Amino acid sequence: MTIRVVVVDDQEIVRAGFAALLGTQADFSVVGTAADGEEAVDVCRTGRPHVVLMDVRMPIVDGIEATRRVTADGKRAPRVIVLTTFDLDEYVYDALGAGASGFLLKDVRAEMLFDAVRVVAAGDALLAPTVTRRLVSEFARLRPTLPNRPDALAELTPRETEVLRLVAEGLSNGEIAERLVVSDETVKTHVSRVLAKLGVRDRTQAVVAAYEYGLVTPRVRESVD
């Protein structure tokens, strides 16, 4: 499968650089670039990318609002990777709330960029477990828990709820399988059902939902070397 990618950044040299890097991979096709959020929405509408690399600080329409717009198209919506200059800056939390699937620093190594695009296109978690715990706990701390759990959360079976809690703690499928003494395939099935019932498209958004609705309580922020 060829992964269709759109690159969005207000700096031409950054757009060109990322597009050129992605173009070196046989399984990637850069179907468009954009210099601001409004243009990004138009490019995504016509180019139908699987993944969007999205800067957050842009003129006219910023990356947060653009992310919200391009991810609003249900199952046909692309997955968004936010590009940021600073590790875990305030805009990352807003981007997650808008529907982003993860984030990368702009000085990311080429191989890490390629891996991130492939992982997000496949619907898997982009963030490493330690970063997931740190990032989403802080995200939840900054936003009060919603007073009522959604009906979708109530529809989860006890085992699905348990799996969601473990995903929210940053465990991989393999680690969850070991914890629950089941196969990796069984965990994948549970995760898929959780995503479907919650109406979210990937693990990152499932984790955000788990924290927002109080299924998981944010821990004290961890220190990461």
Side-chain angles (χ1 to χ4, degrees), residues 87-209:
D87 184 18
L88 299 184
D89 73 9
E90 61 184 291
Y91 293 97
V92 172
Y93 307 119
D94 292 334
L96 282 177
S101 296
F103 78 102
L104 287 174
L105 297 180
K106 286 188 177 181
D107 61 356
V108 63
R109 298 191 311 274
E111 288 304 319
M112 186 177 294
L113 170 66
F114 303 151
D115 289 344
V117 171
R118 293 181 180 114
V119 164
V120 169
D124 294 329
L126 171 60
L127 306 175
T130 52
V131 177
T132 299
R133 288 193 292 268
R134 177 180 164 203
L135 174 63
V136 182
S137 290
E138 183 67 5
F139 172 87
R141 185 186 69 79
L142 294 172
R143 289 162 172 76
T145 300
L146 299 182
N148 297 309
R149 295 185 180 184
D151 292 339
L153 204 58
E155 291 178 5
L156 299 181
T157 66
R159 179 47 64 94
E160 289 166 354
T161 301
E162 186 176 15
V163 168
L164 177 56
R165 283 197 179 98
L166 295 175
V167 169
E169 290 178 11
L171 273 65
S172 67
N173 283 353
E175 291 168 333
I176 295 173
E178 184 176 350
R179 177 82 64 89
L180 300 181
V181 196
V182 297
S183 69
D184 285 8
E185 286 302 317
T186 297
V187 174
K188 288 180 182 178
T189 298
H190 285 313
V191 171
S192 295
R193 289 174 178 168
V194 167
L195 298 184
K197 289 181 179 182
L198 293 182
V200 297
R201 295 176 302 122
D202 55 44
R203 292 169 72 104
T204 302
Q205 290 300 311
V207 172
V208 169

Side-chain angles (χ1 to χ4, degrees), residues 58-79:
M58 295 183 294
I60 306 177
V61 173
D62 65 22
I64 307 302
E65 178 59 26
T67 295
R68 186 174 292 109
R69 293 183 190 179
V70 301
T71 59
D73 192 17
K75 293 182 179 179
R76 298 181 62 186
R79 290 181 167 86

